[in-house]
């Protein structure tokens, strides 16, 4: 096998490998790993100092909004946008829960209290919460594949901007990305979390598989075509000799 052909085969292998590996940066989360999976029953603390297990909220959908309280960019916009669209979805605490969950390990009780007061959240249907322990924090962010990176010498983070819809039986159902949310998309996501069908979600894995298969065949065709071209060139050179 010529060097060019070996290079093409290696390139095809790397393309397939990059598409099949789980995302390591967390931007965006690897939904293939998380959708349909149950969240761990972590211990949380709300802004009123009450400790509770996540699974005690079973029976209603959850809109989970990962934030950190010292954020001065995306998190405030996400929270303000949620405040605008949530009334169109129903009433928090009766129809669903909203959890603004801080992923900052340094956020303490006073931080989540200040966040709740700043955004005028009721602390009941819309709870501002932190994990009781770092272990529980990382169990929860790993369950939704929410990867974040701290910026040295600051209290800031690089992180994906999203909210996650959780079904009443605590399974990850839908990600909505961005910092400003469309009311119609949020209504559909809530309905989906309650059991409505979403054909795109149902066939997501099949679409990925066929896309990967198509890319593989395209790459294989390129390798074979290149090999034949190289072979003809070598035969032509041998003939001229």
């Amino acid at each position: 096998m010529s060097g060019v052909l070996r290079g093409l085969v290696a390139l095809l292998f790397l393309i397939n490998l990059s598409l099949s590996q789980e995302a390591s940066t967390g931007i965006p989360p690897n939904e293939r790993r998380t959708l349909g999976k149950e969240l761990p029953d972590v211990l949380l603390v709300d802004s009123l100092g009450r400790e509770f297990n996540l699974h005690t909220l079973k029976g209603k959908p959850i809109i989970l909004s990962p934030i950190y309280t010292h954020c001065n960019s995306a998190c405030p916009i996400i929270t303000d946008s949620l405040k605008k669209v949530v009334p169109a979805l129903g009433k928090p605490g009766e129809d669903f829960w909203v959890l603004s969950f801080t992923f900052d390990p340094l956020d303490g009780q006073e931080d989540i209290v200040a966040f709740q007061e700043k955004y005028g959240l009721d602390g009941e249907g819309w709870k501002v919460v932190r994990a009781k322990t770092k272990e529980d924090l990382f169990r929860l962010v790993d369950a939704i594949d929410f990867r974040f990176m701290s910026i040295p010498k600051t209290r800031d983070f690089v992180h994906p901007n999203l909210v996650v819809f959780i079904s009443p039986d605590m399974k990850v159902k839908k990600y909505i990305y961005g910092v400003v949310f469309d009311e119609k998309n949020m209504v559909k996501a809530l309905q989906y979390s309650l059991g409505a069908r979403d054909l795109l979600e149902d066939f997501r894995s099949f679409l990925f598989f066929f896309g990967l298969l198509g890319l593989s065949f395209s790459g294989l065709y390129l390798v074979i075509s290149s090999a034949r071209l190289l072979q003809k060139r070598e035969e032509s050179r041998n003939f001229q000799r």
Side-chain angles (χ1 to χ4, degrees):
M1 185 182 290
S2 68
V4 174
L5 184 55
R6 283 195 296 268
L8 288 170
V9 172
L11 178 61
L12 176 61
F13 173 78
L14 289 174
I15 291 173
N16 285 335
L17 183 63
S18 66
L19 286 172
S20 62
Q21 283 182 326
E22 294 185 351
S24 58
T25 61
I27 306 176
N30 184 352
E31 296 186 20
R32 292 184 299 121
R33 186 173 75 85
T34 60
L35 289 176
K37 301 296 180 61
E38 185 178 79
L39 294 184
D41 190 19
V42 296
L43 183 60
L44 302 175
V45 184
D46 69 14
S47 56
L48 300 177
R50 298 172 297 195
E51 297 183 5
F52 65 98
N53 287 91
L54 179 60
H55 284 201
T56 61
L57 302 183
K58 276 186 175 182
K60 297 184 180 70
I62 297 173
I63 303 174
L64 181 64
S65 175
I67 53 91
Y68 65 102
T69 64
H70 292 270
C71 179
N72 292 311
S73 53
C75 302
I77 301 174
I78 288 172
T79 305
D80 283 335
S81 181
L82 277 178
K83 287 185 67 176
K84 292 176 182 178
V85 300
V86 158
L89 308 181
K91 186 174 181 180
E94 293 185 9
D95 303 308
F96 52 83
W97 304 103
V98 183
L99 295 185
S100 291
F101 166 72
T102 177
F103 57 85
D104 183 353
L106 297 180
D107 270 344
Q109 192 62 27
E110 66 281 2
D111 297 305
I112 63 173
V113 169
F115 189 90
Q116 178 190 319
E117 292 176 350
K118 179 178 180 180
Y119 293 99
L121 308 177
D122 67 7
E124 297 292 345
W126 186 329
K127 302 176 185 294
V128 182
V129 300
R130 61 185 177 88
K132 177 68 173 179
T133 66
K134 286 186 178 180
E135 179 184 4
D136 276 343
L137 187 158
F138 288 106
R139 286 175 64 204
L140 183 52
V141 296
D142 183 64
I144 60 173
D145 199 35
F146 185 88
R147 309 294 178 92
F148 58 92
M149 180 177 66
S150 61
I151 300 175
K153 299 180 181 180
T154 71
R155 285 287 300 273
D156 291 319
F157 295 87
V158 175
H159 63 88
N161 299 318
L162 53 83
V163 295
V164 191
F165 282 78
I166 311 299
S167 67
D169 59 353
M170 291 293 153
K171 293 180 180 178
V172 180
K173 295 296 290 184
K174 184 78 173 179
Y175 290 83
I176 300 292
Y177 297 93
V179 295
V180 177
F181 306 110
D182 178 76
E183 182 180 305
K184 292 182 179 179
N185 290 337
M186 295 290 281
V187 169
K188 288 180 180 179
L190 181 62
Q191 291 172 343
Y192 182 63
S193 69
L194 284 166
R197 300 299 297 273
D198 186 326
L199 293 178
L200 180 60
E201 293 295 337
D202 290 343
F203 290 101
R204 179 185 293 272
S205 59
F206 294 101
L207 291 173
F208 178 84
F209 172 76
F210 285 118
L212 180 60
L213 189 63
L215 181 61
S216 299
F217 277 119
S218 297
L220 184 60
Y221 175 79
L222 177 63
V223 170
I224 293 173
S225 298
S226 300
R228 286 177 177 173
L229 179 60
L230 290 171
Q231 184 178 3
K232 288 181 180 179
R233 288 180 179 176
E234 291 178 0
E235 290 175 352
S236 177
R237 285 197 294 268
N238 292 335
F239 177 77
Q240 292 175 358
R241 292 176 185 171

